[in-house]
Amino acid sequence: MKLFVKYDYDLVCKTVLKEQLDALNISHTHTTQGEVKIHDTINETTREQLVAALGRYGIQILSNPKETLVERIKNTINDLLNNKDLRTVKVSSYLSDTLLYSYAHLSTVFSESTYTSIENYMILKKVDLVKERICNSDLTLTEIAYQLDYSSVAHLSGQFKKTTGLTPSSFQKIMKNKNI
């Protein structure tokens, strides 16, 4: 028997964080995705326990300011792509306004740390969303292109093929055969 599940990674991570912080009696508030404000100072032993507890779930506490900013950029892009009301917003302006840094600075830090551009990261995330919708819905490519604010199905198909090496329809056939 196979069981197919869909994850809400944001909800899973917030729940795990809350449970682990509560278990260690650490007073906290979730501020933005990927950021938690700790209200009181925690000692080194408690910090090590928290690092170990979160590590079991693949969650890391970042201490490098550049790594932290890169994760904030990724989380902000994910929020942007998952919020249909924000899809028409200019990415550079949204990142600058949300993260309170110039887009030039954000772009430089992101590229230095990830060896790719913010634009390329967005394309990869959009292609991931296309794959998810192909696998988990009965939407047509036209509907998916519209939902993800592509200018056309041809534009979606071109980015998909360039990124994955497959056309969306080839990918769909492979996934259908895999699930039979």
Side-chain angles (χ1 to χ4, degrees), residues 79-89:
D79 289 344
L80 180 70
L81 292 174
N82 289 314
N83 185 338
K84 61 184 168 196
D85 297 330
L86 297 176
R87 287 204 187 108
T88 57
V89 174

Side-chain angles (χ1 to χ4, degrees), residues 70-71 74 107-118 121:
V70 168
E71 285 305 311
K74 288 179 178 181
S107 181
T108 299
V109 169
F110 192 88
S111 297
E112 287 174 355
S113 298
T114 64
Y115 306 105
T116 190
S117 66
I118 289 174
Y121 178 79

Side-chain angles (χ1 to χ4, degrees), residues 50-66:
L50 180 60
V51 167
L54 294 176
R56 289 192 298 271
Y57 298 96
I59 299 172
Q60 299 174 353
I61 296 176
L62 302 176
S63 55
N64 178 325
K66 284 187 177 184

Side-chain angles (χ1 to χ4, degrees), residues 38-95:
I38 305 297
H39 299 292
D40 303 314
T41 305
I42 58 174
N43 62 43
E44 191 58 33
T45 304
T46 303
R47 181 180 170 75
E48 288 172 9
Q49 290 173 332
L50 180 60
V51 167
L54 294 176
R56 289 192 298 271
Y57 298 96
I59 299 172
Q60 299 174 353
I61 296 176
L62 302 176
S63 55
N64 178 325
K66 284 187 177 184
E67 273 184 32
T68 303
L69 184 55
V70 168
E71 285 305 311
R72 290 180 64 208
I73 292 167
K74 288 179 178 181
N75 291 335
T76 303
I77 289 170
N78 292 340
D79 289 344
L80 180 70
L81 292 174
N82 289 314
N83 185 338
K84 61 184 168 196
D85 297 330
L86 297 176
R87 287 204 187 108
T88 57
V89 174
K90 190 173 178 185
V91 175
S92 58
S93 299
Y94 183 74
L95 287 172

Side-chain angles (χ1 to χ4, degrees), residues 4-18 30 32-35 57-59 71 74-75 78-79 82 121 125 128-129 131-132 136:
F4 296 96
V5 296
K6 183 177 177 183
Y7 304 110
D8 180 342
Y9 292 106
D10 185 46
L11 178 61
V12 170
C13 287
K14 283 181 181 177
T15 303
V16 168
L17 279 169
K18 181 175 177 7
H30 285 274
T32 60
Q33 186 178 12
E35 185 175 292
Y57 298 96
I59 299 172
E71 285 305 311
K74 288 179 178 181
N75 291 335
N78 292 340
D79 289 344
N82 289 314
Y121 178 79
K125 294 309 288 182
D128 284 346
L129 289 172
K131 288 183 205 174
E132 182 182 307
N136 298 323

